[in-house]
Amino acid sequence: DAKTTQPTSMDCAEGRAANLPCNHSTISGNEYVYWYRQIHSQGPQYIIHGLKNNETNEMASLIITEDRKSSTLILPHATLRDTAVYYCIVKGETSGSRLTFGEGTQLTVNP
Amino acid sequence: EPEVTQTPSHQVTQMGQEVILRCVPISNHLYFYWYRQILGQKVEFLVSFYNNEISEKSEIFDDQFSVERPDGSNFTLKIRSTKLEDSAMYFCASSPPGGYGNYGYTFGSGTRLTVV
């Protein structure tokens, strides 16, 4: 699976949009971009994933560049409960294959 | 919303003892996983399980580890002779059938294992 690069930490004001970037320049054609988050030692929580089109669900939006070498997770109105470590993971489409977690981005939402 | 349930939430054991960590995956899921996270470190993959057999395992998953699905609902991780370095949070996860990355994995809230 392709390697990802994320900033170590970011801050965001409550109520504002949080934009979390991820670089995955070695991504291959059949690999998806997944985002998970981990709130203070709880189990990782799935947020969203995409292949090449932008995706939106009730939690977030995922913007993938046309060349697929980078993506941005957008939390449109961040709340204090969104403070967490956010992981960008590139994974093939095979069911049951492992997720490889990196260090992620520590997002702190400030009041 | 369906959940992955893990028990116990915290287990303390003496070095050299055997422990069994238990998980109840989501009922219609077919793929099951164990991950661990040593305090302050990354979440690490241990093993995946499908159709009653191990489908993939990491280099961490050596002979002291084993997994089992003893009945239709439980999925267990056994550590035969615990070492101090096995102290970690252990997360169980499950995912539904189907390819094309249609679904994320659902993780449980973890079992904190402390080996003393």
Side-chain angles (χ1 to χ4, degrees), chain A residues 53-109:
Chain A
N53 297 321
N54 298 338
E55 302 287 346
T56 295
N57 63 19
E58 64 279 2
M59 289 183 71
S61 295
L62 174 61
I63 308 297
I64 302 174
T65 57
E66 196 168 333
D67 63 7
R68 302 211 321 125
K69 293 185 177 181
S70 65
S71 60
T72 301
L73 178 75
I74 301 172
L75 309 178
H77 305 286
T79 71
L80 299 180
R81 285 178 294 183
D82 292 322
T83 293
V85 179
Y86 286 76
Y87 300 99
C88 168
I89 299 171
V90 170
K91 191 180 88 64
E93 64 183 354
T94 306
S95 295
S97 57
R98 70 171 76 183
L99 295 169
T100 301
F101 288 83
E103 305 287 349
T105 296
Q106 171 66 60
L107 175 69
T108 302
V109 181

Side-chain angles (χ1 to χ4, degrees), chain A residues 32 34 36 38 41-46 49 87 91-103, chain B residues 31 33 35 37 42-43 45 48 56-58 89 91 98-105 107-109 112:
Chain A
Y32 286 73
Y34 284 80
Y36 284 76
Q38 187 176 27
S41 297
Q42 295 178 21
Q45 179 189 22
Y46 165 78
H49 75 280
Y87 300 99
K91 191 180 88 64
E93 64 183 354
T94 306
S95 295
S97 57
R98 70 171 76 183
L99 295 169
T100 301
F101 288 83
E103 305 287 349
Chain B
Y31 296 89
Y33 316 86
Y35 287 75
Q37 186 174 32
K42 295 188 281 189
V43 177
F45 168 79
S48 59
E56 186 181 4
K57 60 183 181 179
S58 72
M89 274 296 271
F91 296 109
Y100 305 106
N102 284 335
Y103 300 97
Y105 297 179
F107 285 79
S109 54
R112 179 166 298 286

Side-chain angles (χ1 to χ4, degrees), chain B residues 1-108:
Chain B
E1 189 161 327
E3 288 183 343
V4 172
T5 305
Q6 290 187 244
T7 55
S9 57
H10 192 184
Q11 171 124 23
V12 181
T13 188
Q14 288 205 322
M15 192 167 52
Q17 295 296 304
E18 174 183 286
V19 294
I20 297 176
L21 309 183
R22 302 180 193 279
C23 170
V24 178
I26 293 173
S27 61
N28 65 343
H29 285 186
L30 295 182
Y31 296 89
F32 314 113
Y33 316 86
W34 284 100
Y35 287 75
R36 79 172 186 189
Q37 186 174 32
I38 296 169
L39 186 64
Q41 298 187 22
K42 295 188 281 189
V43 177
E44 301 174 290
F45 168 79
L46 291 177
V47 66
S48 59
F49 191 86
Y50 171 72
N51 201 25
N52 280 323
E53 60 183 28
I54 290 173
S55 52
E56 186 181 4
K57 60 183 181 179
S58 72
E59 53 283 354
I60 302 169
F61 194 88
D62 60 21
D63 291 344
Q64 70 161 339
F65 292 95
S66 62
V67 289
E68 192 179 29
R69 189 154 162 81
D71 53 43
S73 58
N74 291 286
F75 179 51
T76 62
L77 174 69
K78 182 191 291 186
I79 309 175
R80 262 180 267 285
S81 177
T82 50
K83 306 174 205 160
L84 295 176
E85 54 265 36
D86 293 327
S87 295
M89 274 296 271
Y90 287 81
F91 296 109
C92 174
S94 67
S95 64
Y100 305 106
N102 284 335
Y103 300 97
Y105 297 179
T106 303
F107 285 79

